Amino acid sequence: MRRITGKTKDETLIELQSARAADVPAVLTAFRINLHPDESSGNGSLSERAPLPGNTETDKLHPSKDTVFFRDGVRRIDFVLSYVDDKDGEKKQERRRAFEANLEKTGLELETEDKSDSKDQKTYFLKIHAPRDVLATYADVLKIKVPFKKSDIPQSQDVALEWLTQPFRLPGNIMHPEPDYFTYHFDKTKTDFFLIGDKDTFFPPSTRNRIVFYILSHCAYYKEGQKDREKTGIKRLLSNGTYTAAFPLHDCRYWKKGRNAEERYNLYKHWARFLCFYKEQPLNLIKKYYGEKIGIYFAWLGFYTEMLFLAAVVGLICFIYGVLSYDDNITSKEICDPKIGGSIMMCPLCDKNCTFWRLDSTCLSSWQSHLFDNEATVFFAMFMGIWVTLFLEFWKRRQARLEYEWDLVDFEEEQQELQTRPEFEIKCTNRRLNKITQEMEPYLPLHSRCARYCLSGATVTFWISLILACITGVIAYRLAVYASFASIIGNHGGESGNHKNKTLLVGGLITPQLATSVTASCINFVIIMILNFFYEKVAIWITDMEIPKTHLEYENRLITKMFMFQFVNYYSSCFYVAFFKGKFVGYPGNYTYMFGKWKKFRNEECDPGGCLIELTTQLLIVMAGKQLWGNIQEALLPLMRNWWSSRKGRHNPENHYSRWEQDHVLQNFSQLGLFYEYLEMVIQFGFITLFVASFPLAPLLALFNNILEIRVDAWKFTTQFRRPVASKARNIGAWQEILNSVAILSVVTNAFIMAFTSDMIPRMVYLYAYSNSTSMKGYINSSLSEYRITITPRNMTEDNWFRHFNTTCRYRDYRHPPGHENEYTHTMQFWHILAAKMAFIIIMEHVVFVVKFFIAWMIPDVPSDVKARIKRERYLIQEHLHNYEVEKLKLQLSASFITEPQTSETSLTPDKHEVLSECL
């Protein structure tokens, strides 16, 4: 078979003329496939096909390079390989010659574009076309499903008030680009069993590039007569630099329709533009163009965003309740009252540098805390525990419907994901006999596997310990910077003579506690981003070092490592604020110190408004910062990087800037591309479930982010990435189990937040057990203990408060006052509150878990209509196959009787008719 290489214009015309005269018909006839019985007579052969529309003589003299066809305008380009000449040119040329020769032996047709025809004058492009017989052969091998009967199941009827959703709908041809068929695995020996209309478009481009990539991945590049199993596959040729890129082509430019190709244009027009943010996603078109694996990601992301709308609305209502109940907040009124809060002298919050302070200085902080720490917060925490169950259960149903609609019900992942990785075959030099295939295969010895796993575990442990060390450093920063704030403010107050005993404020609005929390959260976010950058590379390195055997195993291991790290990296600071800060402080005269008393770092106390507002601040900064930084990385930076090249591309005439060159300059979509997209969303899912009791507006922020995220990802796939090889996936894989685990953990964390971080339980205990008027009046005084001021070189500071004869100060705790027989020990109220907290945790967890499991049991994973359709399709497959075999047998028997000599002895008799009937 002869390959066409890049030539000058005259040489190309002569070569094309000679190809049309002799070579092309012979080549195409040799690779012609019998898809219909009547094709054996020559009907429909490629050599006799009329020129495609627009392929005029003028086009032949000045052919447009913005095309997805070979130079003959007939054969479609299914894949493109690029390479350049370099210092190792001879070795690489030898590999390329052997590889391309083996590709031709498999039946693929090749055409080369010389580097003189490329824009950079140094890149060669090898275009690959798969003839119909090759496609049919490998469609049979890969068990690709194709239609055999148009679906007779009625579509869902229009529901009432459907006109309300009309503004969110897309045109029917965009949402449903293909009719609904019953499908079955392709069988090359039964081509007339399937609904084959146009033989050239029977296999869509996504299926064609998947088949070609399968061939490329399994084609060897050693010469005939040699046998070196390690020299196999396009991935190795890409890794050793023999080829620089391998990709299928986009069907057209995203801003302009192509010749009989408009899928990319439609995706950009109806999906990737931000102005379409309120429209539904064209999932069927996404699946058709990019494959099921990418389609299932956008289906999940869209469904997650839709479910967030409900959580965001309920969270917003709870926040509005907090705003509207301002006037009923007796606790804050007492704090802000000069006669109550203004008369209460609080003990210093740090040693030496901190002064005494009035309780009414925290008036603003207490109002802010009430926005998130109110009765509605308890309801919202329980609601989110149920919401996450509804989300996961309804997603299973949505996923099951997509599996059926996209022909993934019987899809076996081992066809694609369980194939042995080339890296495993290269690095594993040991061989052993496979008991099933009876062939020698590579394997990793047990001692080597154990050593690699131990090193991997030690590396993960080291990095997680490094994160915890950084968190400890941030905690130390909190303690040190608070003392600095207090020192500066104290000195400033001494110079100005302002000793009105009112407040310790930064800029008049922010307390030192809040200023410390904000700056520490920002520093923590920066540390998170830095550690995240390094650990991504470390996680890939240690996963490569483990040498997983299959692609699925590699991806699952990487998911586990990355999520473990990200979990500790992003959530550890929130866990500290929620469950440790302010819990182990001690009391005046007997404080607890971090790193021991000699380090002078007294354990951190909560903001006077409570620890919940600090957790809200921490969550807001880390979550919003991550989302903002992620959008900058995904949208702004690629836009700035590619703006100039895209602008140049638009102004290049189509005749001079080829389709393969346009796609070559785009970013490569790696095998782990979706991994990072899922990881980003799962981390966000953790923020809005694990700590949502402290910030009911978190689902609203996530909703706004995801609306943008869908369009940013769509824009990237449509305009910035090369077209990925279409691949199949039944579900979201290991991420489903991670989501289930986070959902269960979220019930526990929110219960503990409401019990130990919020002030809700102490307030309820006071209201129902200690209040004399069944109101919250007097709660502030009840929640503060007294300490007799004594001058010590460490715990207290001498200042002018003693000039006003203050002999006691107050602190947040439930302890007996000085002079009591059990002074400074916990009161009975403390134990009542602790018992109420434990009871609340047990009751809330059991209620939410019972409701969760009841909902999960009540909602089936597969909708009943989908089960019926699956059974209907399987029944029709059996029926049609039976009828097909019967008709085929009839034709064979009829043909045998017709060709048999008609003599008196062999003429058809009633007995023969009986035999024929019995056979049928």
Side-chain angles (χ1 to χ4, degrees):
M1 177 178 188
R2 195 156 65 84
R3 262 189 323 176
I4 303 175
T5 56
K7 309 286 183 183
T8 63
K9 184 182 293 184
D10 295 336
E11 291 173 334
T12 302
L13 290 174
I14 295 172
E15 192 169 26
L16 288 173
Q17 290 172 359
S18 62
R20 283 196 298 270
D23 292 351
V24 173
V27 168
L28 298 183
T29 302
F31 292 100
R32 183 165 52 85
I33 178 172
N34 242 343
L35 290 180
H36 280 295
D38 62 351
E39 193 175 342
S40 57
S41 61
N43 296 335
S45 68
L46 290 173
S47 59
E48 297 172 32
R49 189 185 300 128
L52 294 171
N55 199 26
T56 62
E57 289 300 320
T58 305
D59 294 330
K60 293 175 183 177
L61 292 174
H62 303 284
S64 171
K65 283 190 168 186
D66 189 28
T67 178
V68 292
F69 293 93
F70 274 22
R71 296 193 189 99
D72 56 17
V74 175
R75 292 173 292 172
R76 184 182 185 89
I77 301 173
D78 296 313
F79 227 87
V80 173
L81 307 180
S82 65
Y83 61 91
V84 294
D85 290 331
D86 51 25
K87 57 183 179 181
D88 297 329
E90 292 185 3
K91 290 183 179 179
K92 293 179 181 178
Q93 283 181 13
E94 185 178 350
R95 294 193 202 112
R96 284 194 291 266
R97 282 194 294 266
F99 185 66
E100 292 165 16
N102 289 332
L103 288 179
E104 290 176 341
K105 289 178 182 178
T106 64
L108 296 180
E109 299 177 9
L110 312 178
E111 185 177 82
T112 304
E113 291 289 333
D114 192 75
K115 65 180 180 180
S116 60
D117 294 329
S118 64
K119 190 176 179 182
D120 60 5
Q121 297 290 303
K122 61 181 181 180
T123 304
Y124 295 87
F125 292 95
L126 177 67
K127 299 175 289 184
I128 302 174
H129 168 75
R132 286 179 296 182
D133 67 332
V134 175
L135 294 173
T137 299
Y138 283 93
D140 195 349
V141 171
L142 295 175
K143 302 298 181 185
I144 292 175
K145 286 189 172 184
V146 294
F148 71 89
K149 175 181 169 59
K150 193 167 183 179
S151 175
D152 57 1
I153 298 178
Q155 299 295 324
S156 58
Q157 300 297 322
D158 294 341
V159 296
L161 302 178
E162 189 178 4
W163 58 272
L164 290 175
T165 62
Q166 198 60 37
F168 308 103
R169 302 278 181 194
L170 291 174
N173 64 313
I174 302 299
M175 288 302 297
H176 304 285
E178 297 175 311
D180 191 12
Y181 291 104
F182 291 125
T183 59
Y184 185 63
H185 301 301
F186 185 78
D187 189 340
K188 191 177 179 181
T189 62
K190 298 182 176 66
T191 54
D192 50 344
F193 172 74
F194 302 101
L195 294 179
I196 300 176
D198 188 345
K199 305 165 195 174
D200 298 315
T201 60
F202 179 62
F203 294 110
S206 58
T207 302
R208 297 174 69 101
N209 70 55
R210 180 185 167 205
I211 290 174
V212 173
F213 184 72
Y214 179 85
I215 297 173
L216 293 174
S217 300
H218 292 79
C219 184
Y221 54 90
Y222 49 79
K223 293 182 179 179
E224 188 176 358
Q226 300 177 348
K227 190 169 183 180
D228 188 350
R229 293 186 62 182
E230 294 182 359
K231 295 183 177 181
T232 303
I234 185 62
K235 290 184 179 179
R236 291 182 193 166
L237 291 173
L238 290 171
S239 62
N240 61 31
T242 303
Y243 292 100
T244 56
F247 53 93
L249 293 178
H250 284 293
D251 61 351
C252 63
R253 301 188 179 197
Y254 67 85
W255 67 87
K256 180 180 178 182
K257 292 183 181 180
R259 188 184 77 180
N260 299 328
E262 56 181 22
E263 289 180 357
R264 187 189 186 194
Y265 169 79
N266 286 334
L267 285 171
Y268 177 74
K269 179 180 179 182
H270 298 284
W271 180 50
R273 296 189 304 166
F274 183 73
L275 294 178
C276 301
F277 72 92
Y278 62 94
K279 296 280 190 179
E280 59 185 338
Q281 295 189 86
L283 294 177
N284 289 319
L285 185 58
I286 297 170
K287 182 269 298 184
K288 182 182 177 184
Y289 193 75
Y290 291 112
E292 290 79 359
K293 193 170 187 177
I294 292 176
I296 206 77
Y297 163 72
F298 281 104
W300 176 82
L301 180 57
F303 184 80
Y304 171 44
T305 305
E306 291 172 8
M307 291 294 292
L308 273 176
F309 181 79
L310 175 62
V313 169
V314 176
L316 183 61
I317 292 174
C318 293
F319 177 76
I320 292 174
Y321 172 82
V323 174
L324 297 179
S325 61
Y326 250 31
D327 294 336
D328 300 328
N329 184 14
I330 298 176
T331 303
S332 294
K333 287 182 177 180
E334 288 189 349
I335 292 176
C336 298
D337 190 344
K339 295 181 180 180
I340 302 176
S343 64
I344 296 176
M345 189 67 60
M346 301 295 293
C347 298
L349 293 173
C350 67
D351 291 348
K352 280 298 186 184
N353 295 325
C354 298
T355 62
F356 297 90
W357 52 283
R358 298 286 185 185
L359 183 61
D360 62 348
S361 66
T362 64
C363 178
L364 179 61
S365 178
S366 68
W367 283 113
Q368 292 171 344
S369 180
H370 176 73
L371 293 175
F372 306 105
D373 191 2
N374 52 66
E375 293 80 2
T377 307
V378 180
F379 163 77
F380 187 65
M382 300 183 71
F383 166 79
M384 286 301 294
I386 298 171
W387 173 87
V388 73
T389 304
L390 291 174
F391 163 62
L392 294 175
E393 292 302 317
F394 282 125
W395 166 245
K396 290 177 185 177
R397 291 171 61 83
R398 176 68 172 139
Q399 189 171 255
R401 191 175 296 277
L402 289 176
E403 284 183 20
Y404 169 75
E405 293 176 353
W406 292 355
D407 294 326
L408 299 170
V409 174
D410 299 322
F411 171 67
E412 297 179 359
E413 293 186 354
E414 57 266 19
Q415 295 176 7
Q416 184 172 351
E417 299 293 342
L418 298 185
Q419 297 169 9
T420 302
R421 295 172 63 241
E423 294 83 356
F424 182 83
E425 295 180 351
I426 293 174
K427 295 179 180 179
C428 297
T429 56
N430 297 288
R431 295 288 188 273
R432 67 180 177 187
L433 183 66
N434 187 312
K435 296 180 181 180
I436 299 175
T437 62
Q438 294 298 310
E439 293 182 357
M440 300 300 292
E441 66 175 9
Y443 82 101
L444 192 64
L446 180 61
H447 66 275
S448 177
R449 192 182 313 130
C450 292
R452 293 173 186 272
Y453 288 167
C454 290
L455 180 58
S456 174
T459 306
V460 172
T461 304
F462 168 77
W463 277 89
I464 290 179
S465 302
L466 182 61
I467 297 172
L468 298 178
C470 291
I471 296 299
T472 305
V474 172
I475 295 172
Y477 162 82
R478 286 172 175 267
L479 303 178
V481 80
Y482 179 82
S484 300
F485 272 126
S487 176
I488 294 172
I489 296 168
N491 293 336
H492 179 72
E495 292 171 3
S496 63
N498 180 15
H499 300 291
K500 298 297 182 183
N501 310 342
K502 288 187 176 180
T503 184
L504 280 176
L505 293 179
V506 179
L509 291 176
I510 305 175
T511 62
Q513 294 91 335
L514 184 59
T516 302
S517 180
V518 170
T519 56
S521 298
C522 293
I523 293 173
N524 184 61
F525 174 71
V526 173
I527 293 173
I528 286 173
M529 292 294 103
I530 294 173
L531 291 176
N532 188 45
F533 172 78
F534 286 106
Y535 188 76
E536 281 185 7
K537 302 181 182 303
V538 173
I540 293 175
W541 175 75
I542 58 180
T543 306
D544 288 338
M545 181 196 63
E546 292 176 2
I547 320 180
K549 184 175 182 179
T550 65
H551 295 289
L552 184 62
E553 187 180 353
Y554 180 89
E555 189 169 327
N556 287 342
R557 290 189 189 181
L558 184 60
I559 287 173
T560 303
K561 292 181 182 64
M562 282 299 297
F563 181 75
M564 284 175 55
F565 174 81
Q566 299 275 25
F567 186 92
V568 178
N569 198 21
Y570 281 105
Y571 303 145
S572 56
S573 58
C574 292
F575 272 100
Y576 164 73
V577 175
F579 305 124
F580 296 98
K581 183 178 179 181
K583 305 300 185 296
F584 310 100
V585 177
Y587 60 93
N590 189 27
Y591 283 117
T592 305
Y593 290 85
M594 187 178 181
F595 308 124
K597 291 187 176 182
W598 58 277
K599 279 295 184 182
K600 300 182 181 181
F601 282 150
R602 199 173 94 190
N603 279 359
E604 197 175 8
E605 294 187 44
C606 290
D607 186 273
C611 275
L612 195 72
I613 189 65
E614 291 196 49
L615 178 59
T616 303
T617 304
Q618 179 76 23
L619 182 64
L620 178 62
I621 291 176
V622 176
M623 179 182 173
K626 182 185 183 303
Q627 293 183 166
L628 180 63
W629 177 247
N631 288 326
I632 290 175
Q633 280 185 310
E634 291 187 8
L636 188 58
L637 294 181
L639 189 63
M640 294 174 62
R641 183 172 60 248
N642 296 309
W643 175 79
W644 179 248
S645 60
S646 299
R647 184 172 177 273
K648 289 169 65 179
R650 283 196 182 215
H651 291 85
N652 271 281
E654 294 180 5
N655 290 7
H656 296 89
Y657 197 40
S658 64
R659 162 67 28 223
W660 43 90
E661 287 182 279
Q662 294 175 46
D663 287 4
H664 184 257
V665 299
L666 298 177
Q667 300 177 53
N668 180 48
F669 184 75
S670 67
Q671 184 183 358
L672 297 176
L674 284 182
F675 165 80
Y676 293 107
E677 303 295 340
Y678 275 118
L679 182 63
E680 179 185 1
M681 289 295 102
V682 170
I683 293 297
Q684 182 204 83
F685 181 79
F687 279 124
I688 68 164
T689 54
L690 294 174
F691 309 102
V692 73
S694 66
F695 189 41
L697 293 180
L700 185 64
L701 292 181
L703 176 64
F704 289 148
N705 175 80
N706 287 9
I707 291 173
L708 179 63
E709 179 75 19
I710 290 175
R711 304 304 159 180
V712 168
D713 287 348
W715 173 77
K716 288 192 305 182
F717 274 95
T718 309
T719 67
Q720 303 300 304
F721 285 138
R722 297 172 187 160
R723 185 173 184 174
V725 177
S727 56
K728 289 182 175 289
R730 291 185 60 180
N731 47 48
I732 61 175
W735 298 110
Q736 183 75 41
E737 295 303 320
I738 290 177
L739 292 175
N740 290 333
S741 302
V742 172
I744 294 174
L745 181 61
S746 67
V747 177
V748 180
T749 56
N750 283 300
F752 273 84
I753 288 173
M754 294 308 305
F756 289 99
T757 309
S758 167
D759 282 340
M760 182 58 59
I761 303 300
R763 289 200 296 264
M764 292 298 101
V765 171
Y766 175 80
L767 178 63
Y768 294 109
Y770 291 91
S771 175
N772 296 324
S773 59
T774 64
S775 70
M776 293 301 296
K777 290 182 179 180
Y779 170 72
I780 291 299
N781 187 63
S782 173
S783 64
L784 298 176
S785 299
E786 286 189 10
Y787 178 77
R788 183 187 297 113
I789 297 175
T790 57
I791 302 301
T792 65
R794 180 171 191 79
N795 297 113
M796 294 293 158
T797 178
E798 284 191 75
D799 57 22
N800 55 8
W801 295 119
F802 295 102
R803 300 173 189 173
H804 296 82
F805 307 102
N806 294 98
T807 59
T808 62
C809 64
R810 308 293 292 273
Y811 60 97
R812 288 170 56 95
D813 207 341
Y814 297 91
R815 294 180 182 272
H816 290 292
H820 192 276
E821 59 180 351
N822 296 318
E823 65 175 3
Y824 303 136
T825 60
H826 285 121
T827 64
M828 186 57 66
Q829 187 176 356
F830 170 84
W831 298 110
H832 286 168
I833 292 174
L834 181 61
K837 289 180 177 180
M838 301 306 296
F840 174 83
I841 291 173
I842 295 172
I843 293 172
M844 178 178 171
E845 286 183 356
H846 281 70
V847 169
V848 175
F849 278 132
V850 168
V851 174
K852 280 170 61 71
F853 292 134
F854 177 73
I855 292 174
W857 171 79
M858 190 174 60
I859 301 176
D861 291 346
V862 181
S864 57
D865 63 315
V866 172
K867 289 182 180 178
R869 292 187 179 206
I870 293 173
K871 292 178 181 179
R872 169 74 175 160
E873 184 166 335
R874 288 173 177 170
Y875 167 77
L876 287 176
I877 289 173
Q878 293 178 354
E879 183 183 41
H880 276 66
L881 280 176
H882 173 75
N883 294 338
Y884 172 80
E885 295 296 341
V886 168
E887 292 297 328
K888 190 174 181 180
L889 183 57
K890 282 182 180 180
L891 292 174
Q892 290 176 352
L893 291 175
S894 299
S896 66
F897 283 119
I898 291 172
T899 56
E900 191 175 341
Q902 298 295 318
T903 63
S904 58
E905 292 80 12
T906 61
S907 61
L908 287 175
T909 64
D911 293 338
K912 285 218 171 185
H913 279 292
E914 271 182 39
V915 172
L916 178 58
S917 300
E918 195 173 331
C919 290
L920 298 181

